[in-house]
Amino acid sequence: MENGTEQKPAISAGAPASAVPVACPVEAACAQFNSATIDDSTFALPEPVEPSAIEAMPMPELSGKSVYVVDAHSLIFQVFHALPEMTGPRGEPTGAIFGFSRDMVNVLDQRKPDYLLAAFDLPGPTFRDELFADYKKDRREMPSELRPQIPNIRRVLGALGIPVLECQRYEADDILATLARMVDEAGGECYIVSGDKDCRQLLTDRVKIFNIRKNLVFDAAALKDEWGIRPDQVVDFQALVGDSVDNIPGVPLVGPKIAGEWLNKFDSIDNLLAQASELPKGKRKDNLLAAREMIPMSQQLARLDVHVPIAVDWKQSRAGDFDPVGAAELFAEFGFHALTNQMRERVKTAAAEFNHRYETIATRERLEWLVGEMSQQKQISVDTETTSIDPRWAEIVGYSFAWNPGEAYYVPVRAPAGEACLDPTQALETLRPVLENPAIEKIGQNLKYDMIVLRSAGVRLARATFDTMIASYLLEAGERNHSLDELAARYLNHTTTKISALIGSGKSQKTMDQVPVAAITHYAAEDADVALRLVPVLQPRLAEAKLTGLLADLEMPLVEVLVEIESNGIKVDLDRLGALSKQYGERLKSLEFEIFQLAGRDFNIASPKQLQEVLFTEQKLPVIKKTKTGPSTDAEVLEELAHRHPLPAKIIQYRQFSKLLGTYIDALPRLVHPQTGRVHASFNQVVAATGRLSSSDPNLQNIPIRTAEGREIRSAFLPGYPNWSLLAADYSQIELRVLAHYSGDEQLRAAFARDEDIHARVASQVYGVPLDAVDSSMRRVAKAVNFGVIYGQSPFGLSKLLDIEQDEAAKFIDAYFNGYPGVEAFLRDVLVACRKQGYVTTILGRRRAIQGVRDIMLTTPGDPASRQRTLPERTAINTVIQGSAADLIKLAMLQIHRRMSRENRRSQMLLQIHDELIFETPPEELAAMQELVRDEMGGVMPLAVPLKVDVKTGRNWAECE
């Protein structure tokens, strides 16, 4: 027993856990089904096995017990088509895994079954294929994005203790039918979790169908209401109506209504055929008589076998008998945070596992003692409590420190009236010698926040060496949650105190200085303690993944650079923004008038429902794709409809102007700090899985680059001092240069060595014309090829992007790879290595785990199909190329920062926008800074091709473009 839960044998993904098909080669079939290259190979049919040949397994007492049996494939396809595309931390598709997992957890928690089992189809023919060679012949192949999710769904079933039942020659429906019979005969209640209408023939007083989507139970009474028949008539009903999905022949012109009427009158097909003379003359009667010979086969195809040779381990089928810790770890691997937390809540953490002693330091004597103790340490954990989540707007409420696991101290400097706390200025001055001491290593969670807060208060935190948030990100780059709460649960099996428990939420939310000191002490001290305990857990994992150097030499030093950038901020011209707000408001009114003129009436342009009505009902434009709420009106749909009607084009313009107005023009003035007169965007190291920095509050990386509107917004960003200039330094085509470096392609490298326009060079290669004969249209095509084809863009995708024929797009792709063979070889090498080792790395060793890459060695180089990529494959290639580019600019930022410091430059680094750095520079440093930036960015790392840096200056950001 562990944590009060009986431990069960692990269930492997490659074999069913508790069903033993007798005389069926199940293990081999399962192994093939669960291998990375699942196919539909034909299996040799075994001899039929009589039920009497099965070694009987004891049935439990099921009277009053509920048994839920899941039609796995039915449920998997439902969730796959119902949910949007999802990817896990390792880049693999996870939508179906998530939907299926959520459904199983809901069944466990909400339906509370006594027993729970799942039935799977195996690849290969069934007995129905012997009866009818065309059975299911039109069923589509499993989607490529779903196929790799099946083995992981089986892992989920194993982790949740749900046995898998399957048997060659039989379908999952037959296994469901067999289980339903067994449970019914044993006096239990059987609930079939399936959307397959074949299961309706199984309904009895004790066998029902559970519709998990609608959370409804379907029984014999519901069948009578819907089809007007009894369960024992379902097989005859299906034989008459037929099934286009399974390719079961029916009787032409006989639908559900007629079939129900006939069976109500004649009771069965046998009686119907015997009394066919009573039917009115007509085509329908003729069709019935013509199908007389085919109907018995249709009945056999529709009838489920209730005697499948399986033996069920009922003890292992008890619902809820599983290890929630293992389930939580699996859900965390897939990035399912809500499900992970649900599993963690099942785990009762013993108090002894997290013994602690936390103390409030509220007197000057104890503070001096604390500083004396910390001065003797080599390493301390540091955390601050503040009044705001924005560090530039925050005031310090208190500090917490830890250096021994289980011991931590909280120093309050702001508190509710009447509570003991220290003077903020005196406390900070007392702490300064420790905080600014470079001999003492500082560790913590999201130290950048604390460093900015302290810097605003006049203290520069020295020697920040380990950030648990960044360490977690380096270990699991695709994981979306690196919070301290998450890390404590994941690595320490500890549930932390949540901030909402202290300050509340919504309108009643308080600030931290309004919370009692005693409550804050536990919360704040725990944060410092948890971060301290995480370090020895994370350090060996980093070492094993060879990521220690990346953390110590790049990411942690970069924190100081980002602190500098965020503290500097950038000035915005409020008058310019005010003028733009008026201009955009007038433009939106004009567009609104034009839209109403084209639509023929007024309506709410922001309402998808009203827009659907206007576009598809009134204007009768074709529906391109559908959502749960009706026809889609997203940007892709509107762009396609714009070729047919001017109204969608105007809607696109309206949305663009409205977004820019709301996101930037009207929002930026509210973000200007009252003391600095600048906006201080946040740059996050742990969001983008490729290693790129992300920007927020405001997100300056999303301002359109090459549009007039984007330039107008950029014109409002200024240097912060009179007569200073902005300087923008941008890597030229950095990702393509990284590709040339890695691929070793001679043509590509030579073009960069000659400093040619790479898009023009590719156009020359693709079109087979001299370089000087390339026109702007050719270059546009080549640019799309350059940035799309390497990530697996298909001829269809390229043709849609460029509005050309698909055959022409396919020729461009072929010409590209024929002209640059090294590129194709490199892309294949990346995927082969990723499949073999389970991850890819960037130029500085940044690692991202990726699952789901196909066996590229089974494809033929040059085959167009081998160039199209699945989502995990696109992720792998993108991580190597874009991640390496991110490494280079981060390294450049670090080197520029250090050199500016050595040379005592007055110039300041203000922004990083993907491959671009923005500085503000006094006139006397302008020439030197251009040279400095160009030297450091261009020489950041020796590559096989030169790194070209474009440097421009101007009175505002727009002039630097």
Coordinates of all heavy atoms in Angstrom, one line a residue, residues 41-94:
S41 N -2.1 -4.0 -42.0 CA -1.6 -5.3 -42.5 C -2.7 -6.4 -42.2 O -3.4 -6.4 -41.2 CB -0.3 -5.7 -41.9 OG 0.7 -4.8 -42.1
T42 N -2.8 -7.3 -43.1 CA -3.7 -8.4 -43.0 C -3.2 -9.5 -42.1 O -2.0 -9.9 -42.3 CB -4.1 -9.0 -44.4 OG1 -4.6 -8.0 -45.2 CG2 -5.1 -10.1 -44.2
F43 N -3.9 -10.0 -41.2 CA -3.5 -11.1 -40.3 C -4.2 -12.4 -40.8 O -5.3 -12.4 -41.3 CB -3.9 -10.8 -38.8 CG -3.3 -9.7 -38.2 CD1 -3.8 -8.4 -38.4 CD2 -2.1 -9.8 -37.5 CE1 -3.2 -7.3 -37.9 CE2 -1.5 -8.7 -36.9 CZ -2.0 -7.5 -37.1
A44 N -3.5 -13.5 -40.6 CA -4.0 -14.8 -40.9 C -5.2 -15.1 -40.0 O -5.1 -14.9 -38.8 CB -3.0 -15.9 -40.8
L45 N -6.3 -15.6 -40.5 CA -7.4 -15.9 -39.7 C -7.3 -17.2 -38.9 O -7.0 -18.2 -39.5 CB -8.7 -16.0 -40.6 CG -9.2 -14.7 -41.2 CD1 -10.3 -15.0 -42.1 CD2 -9.6 -13.7 -40.1
P46 N -7.5 -17.2 -37.6 CA -7.4 -18.4 -36.8 C -8.7 -19.2 -37.0 O -9.7 -18.7 -37.5 CB -7.3 -17.9 -35.4 CG -8.1 -16.6 -35.4 CD -7.8 -16.0 -36.8
E47 N -8.7 -20.4 -36.6 CA -9.9 -21.2 -36.6 C -10.9 -20.7 -35.5 O -10.5 -20.2 -34.5 CB -9.6 -22.7 -36.3 CG -8.8 -23.4 -37.3 CD -9.5 -23.4 -38.6 OE1 -10.8 -23.7 -38.6 OE2 -8.9 -23.2 -39.7
P48 N -12.2 -20.7 -35.8 CA -13.1 -20.2 -34.8 C -13.0 -21.0 -33.5 O -12.7 -22.2 -33.5 CB -14.5 -20.4 -35.5 CG -14.2 -20.5 -37.0 CD -12.8 -21.1 -37.1
V49 N -13.2 -20.3 -32.4 CA -13.1 -21.0 -31.1 C -14.5 -21.0 -30.5 O -15.2 -20.0 -30.4 CB -12.2 -20.2 -30.2 CG1 -12.1 -20.9 -28.8 CG2 -10.8 -20.1 -30.8
E50 N -15.0 -22.2 -30.1 CA -16.3 -22.3 -29.5 C -16.2 -21.7 -28.0 O -15.2 -21.9 -27.3 CB -16.7 -23.8 -29.4 CG -17.0 -24.4 -30.8 CD -18.1 -23.6 -31.5 OE1 -19.1 -23.2 -30.8 OE2 -18.0 -23.5 -32.7
P51 N -17.3 -21.1 -27.6 CA -17.3 -20.6 -26.2 C -16.9 -21.6 -25.2 O -16.3 -21.3 -24.1 CB -18.7 -20.1 -26.0 CG -19.2 -19.8 -27.4 CD -18.5 -20.8 -28.3
S52 N -17.3 -22.9 -25.4 CA -17.0 -23.9 -24.4 C -15.6 -24.2 -24.3 O -15.1 -24.8 -23.3 CB -17.7 -25.2 -24.9 OG -17.3 -25.6 -26.1
A53 N -14.7 -23.7 -25.2 CA -13.3 -23.9 -25.2 C -12.6 -23.0 -24.2 O -11.5 -23.1 -23.9 CB -12.7 -23.9 -26.6
I54 N -13.3 -21.9 -23.8 CA -12.7 -20.9 -23.0 C -12.6 -21.4 -21.6 O -13.6 -22.0 -21.0 CB -13.6 -19.6 -23.0 CG1 -13.8 -19.1 -24.4 CG2 -12.9 -18.6 -22.1 CD1 -14.7 -18.0 -24.5
E55 N -11.4 -21.3 -21.0 CA -11.3 -21.6 -19.6 C -12.1 -20.6 -18.8 O -11.8 -19.4 -18.8 CB -9.8 -21.6 -19.2 CG -9.6 -21.9 -17.8 CD -8.1 -21.9 -17.4 OE1 -7.3 -21.7 -18.3 OE2 -7.8 -22.0 -16.2
A56 N -13.0 -21.0 -18.0 CA -13.9 -20.1 -17.3 C -13.2 -19.4 -16.2 O -12.3 -19.9 -15.5 CB -15.1 -20.9 -16.7
M57 N -13.4 -18.1 -16.1 CA -12.9 -17.3 -15.0 C -14.1 -16.9 -14.1 O -15.2 -16.6 -14.6 CB -12.2 -16.0 -15.6 CG -11.0 -16.3 -16.4 SD -10.0 -14.8 -16.7 CE -9.3 -14.5 -15.1
P58 N -13.9 -16.9 -12.8 CA -15.0 -16.7 -11.9 C -15.6 -15.4 -12.1 O -14.9 -14.4 -12.2 CB -14.3 -16.9 -10.5 CG -12.9 -16.6 -10.8 CD -12.6 -17.1 -12.1
M59 N -16.9 -15.3 -12.1 CA -17.6 -14.0 -12.2 C -17.9 -13.5 -10.8 O -18.2 -14.3 -9.9 CB -19.0 -14.2 -12.9 CG -18.9 -14.4 -14.4 SD -18.6 -12.8 -15.3 CE -20.1 -11.9 -14.9
P60 N -17.7 -12.2 -10.6 CA -18.0 -11.7 -9.2 C -19.5 -11.6 -9.0 O -20.3 -11.7 -10.0 CB -17.3 -10.3 -9.3 CG -17.4 -9.9 -10.7 CD -17.2 -11.2 -11.5
E61 N -19.9 -11.3 -7.9 CA -21.3 -11.0 -7.6 C -21.6 -9.6 -8.1 O -21.1 -8.6 -7.6 CB -21.6 -11.1 -6.1 CG -23.0 -10.7 -5.7 CD -24.1 -11.4 -6.4 OE1 -24.0 -12.7 -6.4 OE2 -25.0 -10.8 -7.0
L62 N -22.4 -9.5 -9.2 CA -22.7 -8.2 -9.8 C -24.0 -7.7 -9.5 O -24.4 -6.6 -10.0 CB -22.5 -8.4 -11.3 CG -21.1 -8.7 -11.8 CD1 -21.1 -8.8 -13.4 CD2 -20.1 -7.6 -11.4
S63 N -24.8 -8.3 -8.7 CA -26.1 -7.8 -8.4 C -26.0 -6.4 -7.7 O -25.3 -6.3 -6.7 CB -26.9 -8.8 -7.5 OG -28.2 -8.3 -7.2
G64 N -26.6 -5.4 -8.3 CA -26.5 -4.1 -7.7 C -25.3 -3.3 -8.1 O -25.1 -2.2 -7.6
K65 N -24.4 -4.0 -8.9 CA -23.2 -3.3 -9.3 C -23.3 -2.8 -10.7 O -24.0 -3.3 -11.6 CB -22.0 -4.4 -9.3 CG -21.8 -5.0 -8.0 CD -21.3 -4.0 -6.9 CE -20.9 -4.7 -5.6 NZ -20.4 -3.8 -4.6
S66 N -22.6 -1.7 -11.0 CA -22.6 -1.1 -12.3 C -21.3 -1.4 -13.1 O -20.2 -1.3 -12.5 CB -22.8 0.4 -12.2 OG -21.7 1.0 -11.5
V67 N -21.4 -1.8 -14.3 CA -20.2 -2.1 -15.2 C -20.3 -1.2 -16.4 O -21.3 -1.3 -17.2 CB -20.2 -3.6 -15.6 CG1 -19.0 -3.9 -16.4 CG2 -20.2 -4.5 -14.3
Y68 N -19.3 -0.4 -16.6 CA -19.2 0.5 -17.8 C -18.2 -0.1 -18.7 O -17.1 -0.4 -18.3 CB -18.8 1.9 -17.4 CG -20.0 2.7 -16.8 CD1 -20.5 2.4 -15.6 CD2 -20.5 3.8 -17.5 CE1 -21.6 3.1 -15.1 CE2 -21.5 4.5 -17.1 CZ -22.1 4.2 -15.8 OH -23.2 4.9 -15.3
V69 N -18.6 -0.3 -20.0 CA -17.7 -0.8 -21.0 C -17.6 0.2 -22.1 O -18.6 0.7 -22.6 CB -18.2 -2.2 -21.5 CG1 -18.0 -3.3 -20.5 CG2 -19.6 -2.2 -22.0
V70 N -16.4 0.6 -22.5 CA -16.1 1.7 -23.4 C -15.8 1.2 -24.8 O -14.9 0.4 -24.9 CB -15.0 2.6 -22.8 CG1 -14.7 3.7 -23.8 CG2 -15.3 3.1 -21.4
D71 N -16.5 1.7 -25.8 CA -16.1 1.5 -27.1 C -15.0 2.5 -27.5 O -15.3 3.6 -27.9 CB -17.4 1.7 -28.0 CG -17.1 1.3 -29.5 OD1 -16.0 1.1 -29.9 OD2 -18.1 1.3 -30.3
A72 N -13.8 2.0 -27.3 CA -12.6 3.0 -27.4 C -12.6 3.7 -28.7 O -12.4 5.0 -28.7 CB -11.3 2.2 -27.1
H73 N -12.6 3.0 -29.8 CA -12.4 3.7 -31.1 C -13.6 4.6 -31.4 O -13.3 5.7 -31.9 CB -12.3 2.7 -32.2 CG -10.9 2.1 -32.4 ND1 -10.5 0.9 -32.0 CD2 -9.8 2.8 -32.8 CE1 -9.2 0.7 -32.3 NE2 -8.7 1.8 -32.7
S74 N -14.8 4.3 -31.0 CA -15.9 5.2 -31.2 C -15.7 6.5 -30.5 O -15.8 7.6 -31.0 CB -17.2 4.5 -30.7 OG -18.3 5.4 -30.7
L75 N -15.2 6.4 -29.2 CA -15.0 7.6 -28.4 C -13.8 8.4 -28.9 O -13.8 9.6 -29.0 CB -14.8 7.1 -27.0 CG -15.0 8.2 -25.9 CD1 -16.3 8.9 -26.0 CD2 -14.8 7.6 -24.5
I76 N -12.8 7.7 -29.3 CA -11.6 8.4 -29.8 C -11.9 9.2 -31.1 O -11.5 10.4 -31.2 CB -10.5 7.3 -30.1 CG1 -9.9 6.7 -28.8 CG2 -9.3 8.0 -30.9 CD1 -9.0 5.5 -29.0
F77 N -12.6 8.6 -32.0 CA -13.0 9.4 -33.2 C -13.9 10.6 -32.9 O -13.8 11.6 -33.5 CB -13.6 8.5 -34.2 CG -12.6 7.8 -35.1 CD1 -12.1 6.6 -34.8 CD2 -12.2 8.4 -36.3 CE1 -11.1 5.9 -35.5 CE2 -11.2 7.7 -37.1 CZ -10.7 6.5 -36.7
Q78 N -14.8 10.4 -31.9 CA -15.6 11.5 -31.5 C -14.8 12.7 -31.0 O -15.0 13.8 -31.5 CB -16.6 11.1 -30.4 CG -17.8 10.3 -30.8 CD -18.6 9.9 -29.6 OE1 -18.8 10.7 -28.7 NE2 -19.2 8.7 -29.6
V79 N -13.9 12.4 -30.1 CA -13.2 13.6 -29.5 C -12.2 14.1 -30.5 O -11.9 15.3 -30.5 CB -12.5 13.1 -28.2 CG1 -13.5 12.8 -27.2 CG2 -11.5 12.0 -28.4
F80 N -11.6 13.3 -31.4 CA -10.6 13.8 -32.4 C -11.3 14.8 -33.3 O -10.7 15.8 -33.6 CB -10.1 12.6 -33.2 CG -9.2 13.0 -34.3 CD1 -7.9 13.4 -34.0 CD2 -9.6 13.1 -35.6 CE1 -7.0 13.8 -35.0 CE2 -8.7 13.5 -36.6 CZ -7.4 13.8 -36.3
H81 N -12.5 14.5 -33.7 CA -13.2 15.5 -34.7 C -13.8 16.6 -33.9 O -14.1 17.6 -34.6 CB -14.2 14.7 -35.5 CG -13.6 13.7 -36.5 ND1 -12.8 14.2 -37.5 CD2 -13.6 12.4 -36.6 CE1 -12.3 13.1 -38.2 NE2 -12.8 12.0 -37.7
A82 N -14.1 16.5 -32.6 CA -14.8 17.5 -31.9 C -13.9 18.6 -31.4 O -14.3 19.8 -31.2 CB -15.6 16.9 -30.8
L83 N -12.6 18.2 -31.1 CA -11.7 19.2 -30.4 C -10.8 19.8 -31.4 O -10.4 19.2 -32.4 CB -10.9 18.4 -29.3 CG -11.7 17.9 -28.1 CD1 -10.8 17.1 -27.2 CD2 -12.3 19.1 -27.3
P84 N -10.3 21.1 -31.1 CA -9.4 21.7 -32.0 C -8.0 21.0 -31.9 O -7.8 20.2 -30.9 CB -9.3 23.1 -31.4 CG -9.7 23.0 -30.0 CD -10.7 21.9 -29.9
E85 N -7.1 21.4 -32.8 CA -5.8 20.8 -32.8 C -5.0 21.2 -31.5 O -5.0 22.3 -31.1 CB -5.0 21.2 -34.0 CG -3.7 20.6 -34.2 CD -3.0 21.1 -35.5 OE1 -2.3 22.1 -35.4 OE2 -3.0 20.4 -36.5
M86 N -4.5 20.2 -30.8 CA -3.7 20.4 -29.6 C -2.3 19.7 -29.7 O -2.2 18.7 -30.4 CB -4.4 19.8 -28.4 CG -5.7 20.5 -28.1 SD -6.6 19.6 -26.7 CE -5.4 19.7 -25.4
T87 N -1.3 20.3 -29.1 CA 0.0 19.7 -29.1 C 0.5 19.6 -27.6 O 0.2 20.5 -26.8 CB 1.0 20.4 -29.9 OG1 1.1 21.8 -29.5 CG2 0.6 20.4 -31.4
G88 N 1.2 18.6 -27.3 CA 1.8 18.5 -26.0 C 3.1 19.1 -25.9 O 3.7 19.7 -26.8
P89 N 3.7 19.1 -24.7 CA 5.0 19.7 -24.5 C 6.1 19.2 -25.4 O 7.1 19.8 -25.6 CB 5.3 19.4 -23.0 CG 4.0 19.2 -22.3 CD 3.2 18.6 -23.4
R90 N 5.9 17.9 -25.8 CA 6.9 17.3 -26.7 C 6.6 17.4 -28.2 O 7.2 16.7 -29.0 CB 7.1 15.8 -26.3 CG 7.6 15.7 -24.9 CD 7.8 14.3 -24.4 NE 8.2 14.2 -23.1 CZ 8.5 13.1 -22.4 NH1 8.4 11.9 -23.0 NH2 8.9 13.1 -21.2
G91 N 5.6 18.3 -28.5 CA 5.3 18.6 -29.9 C 4.4 17.6 -30.6 O 4.0 17.8 -31.7
E92 N 4.0 16.5 -29.8 CA 3.1 15.5 -30.5 C 1.7 16.0 -30.4 O 1.3 16.7 -29.5 CB 3.3 14.2 -29.8 CG 2.6 14.0 -28.4 CD 3.4 14.6 -27.2 OE1 4.1 15.6 -27.4 OE2 3.4 14.0 -26.2
P93 N 0.8 15.5 -31.3 CA -0.6 15.9 -31.3 C -1.2 15.2 -30.0 O -1.0 14.0 -29.7 CB -1.2 15.3 -32.6 CG -0.2 14.3 -33.0 CD 1.1 14.7 -32.5
T94 N -2.1 15.9 -29.3 CA -2.7 15.4 -28.1 C -4.2 15.6 -28.0 O -4.7 15.3 -26.9 CB -2.0 16.0 -26.9 OG1 -2.1 17.5 -27.0 CG2 -0.5 15.6 -26.8

